Amino acid sequence: MINGFYGVYLRELLVLKSRLWKVILSSAISPLLFLLAFGYGVGRNSEINGFSYLSFLLPGLITMSSMNQAYGISTEINISRFYFKVFDEFLLAPIPKWQIILGEVFYGITKGLMPGFIVIFYSFIIGVKLSINFYFFISLMMHLITFSLLGFIIALVVKNHGDQFSFNTFFITPMIFLSGTFYPVDKMPSIIKYIAHIFPLTYSTHLIRSSLLLKTISTTDFCILLIMIIILSFIANKIVNKIETT
C-alpha cells in the first residue's frame, strides 16, 4: 500500500495550508514583475519567431515561476532536516523510502501548479491566447517532477544553508536566464547555447512553449527530459537509502 506516501504528502499539505496565502502571493508577484518589466518594457511591440513577445514570454514565466516553487521544497526539507528533524522521522517510519520521495515530489508538483495557473490567468487578463491542451499538462507535469526531484536531492546533499545558497547562485539563477525563458536559446552566442543545453529548464521550457503556442512538439526534448527524470529518481533513491544507513 501507499500509506507512507499519503502520510508524507498530507503532512506537507498541512504545512502549506498554514501559509497558503504567502505562497500564493509570492507565486503571483514574481511573474507579474517580470511580465511588466520584460513584456511591457523591454519587449514591447517585439516579435520572436512570428509570435508577439508577450506570447513568447508567458510560457517562459510559467516554467520559471513553477520551477521556483517546485524546486523550493529543497529549502523546506532542509529546515525540516536540520531544525525540526521531521525528515529523520520519515526515515525511521516503517515505510518504503520511495514513498517518501513520492510524497515530497507530489508536494513540489502541488506548489508548482499554483504559479503556473496564475500566469495563465494573467494571459487571459492581457488578452494573450495560449492553447491549454493535453501536451501542455504532460509537459508541465514532467517539468515539475524534474525540479521537485532536483530540489529533493539538493536538500539531502547539502550540509548547510550556505551550500544550498551557493548551488542556487551558480546553477539555478543562470539556468533561469539562459534556458530560453526570456529570449530564444538559438539566438544566443554559441558558447551560451552549449551551456543552456546542460540545463533541464531549457528542454521543459521548449516543450511547454511549443504546446501552448501549438508548435511542433520535440520528441527529442521529451525523451531528454524523461531520461533526466529517471536519472534523478535513481539518484534520489540512492541518497535516501544512504542517509538511512549512516
Side-chain angles (χ1 to χ4, degrees), residues 116-182:
F117 288 125
I118 288 172
V119 175
I120 291 172
F121 177 69
Y122 289 159
S123 73
F124 289 133
I125 292 177
I126 63 178
V128 175
K129 185 177 180 181
L130 299 176
S131 177
I132 310 301
N133 52 62
F134 173 77
Y135 294 108
F136 164 69
F137 285 109
I138 293 296
S139 301
L140 182 61
M141 286 299 105
M142 293 180 67
H143 166 72
L144 294 176
I145 291 170
T146 300
F147 286 100
S148 297
L149 283 168
L150 182 61
F152 181 85
I153 291 169
I154 295 304
L156 299 188
V157 168
V158 298
K159 303 300 181 182
N160 51 59
H161 296 304
D163 291 344
Q164 184 165 345
F165 179 77
S166 297
F167 181 83
N168 293 348
T169 300
F170 293 108
F171 186 81
I172 299 298
T173 301
M175 179 169 59
I176 289 173
F177 290 97
L178 300 180
S179 297
T181 305
F182 304 107

Side-chain angles (χ1 to χ4, degrees), residues 48-167:
I48 294 180
N49 299 329
F51 295 94
S52 69
Y53 183 70
L54 277 175
S55 297
F56 176 87
L57 177 64
L58 283 166
L61 292 181
I62 290 174
T63 58
M64 180 199 72
S65 56
S66 60
M67 180 206 73
N68 284 335
Q69 289 294 341
Y71 173 78
I73 66 171
S74 59
T75 301
E76 299 178 41
I77 296 173
N78 208 318
I79 293 173
S80 71
R81 281 184 63 208
F82 293 128
Y83 297 105
F84 303 114
K85 306 299 180 182
V86 173
F87 198 82
D88 292 342
E89 295 180 11
F90 289 161
L91 293 175
L92 292 172
I95 58 175
K97 301 304 173 280
W98 64 266
Q99 293 190 21
I100 299 175
I101 300 171
L102 190 64
E104 297 291 357
V105 167
F106 264 69
Y107 175 54
I109 293 172
T110 302
K111 287 189 66 182
L113 286 173
M114 288 189 285
F117 288 125
I118 288 172
V119 175
I120 291 172
F121 177 69
Y122 289 159
S123 73
F124 289 133
I125 292 177
I126 63 178
V128 175
K129 185 177 180 181
L130 299 176
S131 177
I132 310 301
N133 52 62
F134 173 77
Y135 294 108
F136 164 69
F137 285 109
I138 293 296
S139 301
L140 182 61
M141 286 299 105
M142 293 180 67
H143 166 72
L144 294 176
I145 291 170
T146 300
F147 286 100
S148 297
L149 283 168
L150 182 61
F152 181 85
I153 291 169
I154 295 304
L156 299 188
V157 168
V158 298
K159 303 300 181 182
N160 51 59
H161 296 304
D163 291 344
Q164 184 165 345
F165 179 77
S166 297
F167 181 83

